[in-house]
Structure formats: C-alpha cells, structure tokens
Amino acid sequence: APTFKIAIASGPGSGASETVGDTLYLLDVEDGDLYWSQHLVTDACSANAAPADPTALDFGPTRDGVIDRVVVGDLGGRVWTLDPTGDPMTTTATALFDSQAVTGEAEPITASISFLQNGAVPELLFGTGGSDSADAESASARGAVPGA
C-alpha cells in the first residue's frame, strides 16, 4: 500500500547570519513521523531559507500519482530539488537553479514554484522578488528549468 507524505519548508530565517529556516521536511501524513529532513545549505547564511511551500512533481510518461521530485525556492534565489523516494540517509538536496549565476544578484524566490509537463520535458515556472529584502530594481530573474 502506498504511504502518503507531506513536504514542508521551515520558512524564512530570522537573521542574516543565522542558519534558520533552511530545512525541507518530508513527514508521514498518517502519524506525522519525520521521514527525512534536508538542510538547503550552500553557505552559512539564512539566505538559504525557504519561505514558500514546496512543490511536489509527478512527471514522466505515466503520471502515476507517485511524487518524483520535490522542489522549493529560497531567499538566495536558488531552486532546490530532492528525490522523496530515495533513502532518507542518503537523499541530498541539489541546487537546480541559481539566480546569482544568471543575473549576478541573489534574487529571492518567495512563492511556490509551478510545474508544467511540456511533452516529455518537465519545466519549472517561477519568478524572483516579493520579499522585503528583494531589490525592486533587479528582481527580474524568471525561469523555466527543463529536466527538473
């Protein structure tokens, strides 16, 4: 029988020098037990905080109702991807997109990421900005990341 899980992010951090709010959790819906947690860490800064709800992706030719990936944006302008079916001891978060590599600025991703199955290619749709810490002049990175 399938087990149902829920992905949640720990929310925004409380300060620029703290690693608070930088964790993605996968919980068992039935009893609330923690299946795994992953720190979204690239440096020692709360810019890794994930303020938005994670997005669960079911992609591929069958669209079988099994979640293939979980993605979430962070305040550092990165999109993270994880395999929720992997071994909890070895599953790691991977930065799939980094706004700083595209625009030269770390532009926050504060809203949930949308998903589109474009034929055989899964695409992630998102924008940056929407945070008090976002620079209104440069908050312009938008992405469609194929092959999530």
Side-chain angles (χ1 to χ4, degrees):
T3 58
F4 296 94
K5 296 182 173 51
I6 185 168
I8 58 172
S10 55
S14 61
S17 64
E18 299 176 29
T19 55
V20 176
D22 64 355
T23 306
L24 185 64
Y25 300 96
L26 193 65
L27 307 172
D28 186 298
V29 171
E30 182 92 11
D31 56 19
D33 284 349
L34 178 65
Y35 182 69
W36 57 237
S37 65
Q38 281 292 310
H39 291 283
L40 308 177
V41 176
T42 58
D43 52 38
C45 176
S46 69
N48 295 314
D53 293 329
T55 302
L57 309 179
D58 175 12
F59 57 84
T62 60
R63 307 284 305 263
D64 56 7
V66 175
I67 301 305
D68 299 299
R69 294 284 183 276
V70 174
V71 295
V72 67
D74 73 12
L75 294 180
R78 290 170 291 271
V79 173
W80 296 88
T81 181
L82 294 100
D83 178 356
T85 63
D87 180 342
M89 301 306 291
T90 60
T91 298
T92 58
T94 302
L96 184 65
F97 172 85
D98 186 341
S99 67
Q100 193 161 4
V102 175
T103 67
E105 299 288 332
E107 299 172 355
I109 300 170
T110 59
S112 295
I113 297 169
S114 295
F115 167 66
L116 169 69
Q117 181 80 36
N118 185 6
V121 179
E123 293 184 339
L124 305 178
L125 309 170
F126 58 92
T128 61
S131 169
D132 289 342
S133 65
D135 179 355
E137 297 300 316
S138 67
S140 61
R142 291 174 282 288
V145 180

